[in-house]
Amino acid sequence: ELKVEQNPLFLSMQEGKNYTIYCNYSTTSDRLYWYRQDPGKSLESLFVLLSNGAVKQEGRLMASLDTKARLSTLHITAAVHDLSATYFCAVVGSDYKLSFGAGTTVTVRA
Amino acid sequence: DAEITQSPRHKITETGRQVTLACHQTWNHNNMFWYRQDLGHGLRLIHYSYGVQDTNKGEVSDGYSVSRSNTEDLPLTLESAASSQTSVYFCASSREPWEDTQYFGPGTRLTVL
């Protein structure tokens, strides 16, 4: 059974500083997604990573995938208040189903 | 613009009642999914469909059923609602099943008393 672990689960960021969210998964996969969810809202796709070494960037967010280490990172550069949300990673397992991590709740403070 | 909608957005029901949650997408996607979201669990897959007349069980399918009679709709039915099924339910669709972005609906908050 595929297990997906995110850490930290809660992250208090200071504006202007850099932070990283980690997503570890337990079985081989080369397909990983990052989603953002604002409180009370639906999920919004951020990145789709489909191969080892894939790196994608959008604004202050950069995601990467290391399939050998079974690890993806979501790096936040110079945090701003608008980035406050919950971030989920999700991994496609060998059974071709998407398994989600528990989410990382990010709060950006001045 | 293409979209995915869910109804109702909020529902309160009683234990033992049958409840159906609607999901409608205009993306013309073959693939549709139902998830539930509970605190501390992220999202968990309930059922999914690769196309008309196709349905498959996900991780937490007990007590739920789906049917797919057309491309646009995948209703989720709780046969006999239980308090453990109080949750937020999200429907999603995608062009490719597990290699493409899944587009999520706005969610339905279900409370079973």
Side-chain angles (χ1 to χ4, degrees):
Chain A
E1 180 189 341
L2 173 60
K3 293 192 185 305
V4 182
E5 291 187 356
Q6 286 183 237
N7 68 83
L9 296 182
F10 298 93
L11 185 53
S12 179
M13 299 185 183
Q14 189 172 353
E15 275 187 343
K17 295 199 171 180
N18 302 332
Y19 297 87
T20 300
I21 299 171
Y22 298 89
C23 176
N24 290 90
Y25 52 96
S26 61
T27 64
T28 301
S29 177
D30 58 2
R31 303 170 196 174
L32 188 142
Y33 302 78
W34 283 98
Y35 289 91
R36 168 184 172 141
Q37 185 179 36
D38 293 312
K41 303 291 187 182
S42 188
L43 279 79
E44 173 192 351
S45 177
L46 294 174
F47 302 108
V48 180
L49 304 170
L50 298 177
S51 62
N52 185 42
V55 177
K56 294 216 175 155
Q57 183 165 5
E58 180 75 32
R60 300 174 186 275
L61 302 178
M62 184 174 72
S64 64
L65 178 61
D66 181 344
T67 59
K68 292 183 174 57
R70 299 176 187 168
L71 171 69
S72 180
T73 59
L74 181 66
H75 188 72
I76 299 168
T77 302
V80 293
H81 180 72
D82 284 353
L83 294 178
S84 296
T86 298
Y87 295 84
F88 292 94
C89 65
V91 181
V92 179
S94 58
D95 56 0
Y96 297 100
K97 296 175 191 171
L98 204 58
S99 294
F100 282 76
T104 297
T105 300
V106 168
T107 304
V108 181
R109 64 188 191 282
Chain B
D1 285 347
E3 61 177 355
I4 180 166
T5 57
Q6 294 182 234
S7 63
R9 296 293 312 279
H10 298 88
K11 174 79 175 176
I12 300 174
T13 192
E14 295 177 342
T15 301
R17 289 191 181 265
Q18 184 181 77
V19 176
T20 296
L21 309 183
C23 174
H24 179 81
Q25 53 100 2
T26 58
W27 290 98
N28 200 32
H29 288 158
N30 284 327
N31 308 289
M32 296 184 72
F33 314 85
W34 273 104
Y35 295 91
R36 61 177 287 175
Q37 183 176 32
D38 304 289
L39 206 59
H41 285 280
L43 276 78
R44 292 180 291 176
L45 183 64
I46 305 172
H47 281 287
Y48 58 102
S49 168
Y50 292 142
V52 177
Q53 302 300 332
D54 176 77
T55 61
N56 304 280
K57 294 182 179 180
E59 178 187 358
V60 290
S61 61
D62 287 349
Y64 302 95
S65 64
V66 293
S67 62
R68 188 91 180 269
S69 59
N70 59 52
T71 299
E72 296 79 17
D73 299 289
L74 186 70
L76 177 72
T77 298
L78 287 68
E79 303 293 344
S80 177
S83 57
S84 60
Q85 294 176 309
T86 293
S87 186
V88 179
Y89 292 86
F90 287 99
C91 178
S93 73
S94 69
R95 187 178 46 144
E96 300 294 333
W98 308 110
E99 298 169 326
D100 198 9
T101 298
Q102 291 190 4
Y103 295 91
F104 283 79
T108 294
R109 182 174 295 275
L110 177 67
T111 302
V112 183
L113 301 176

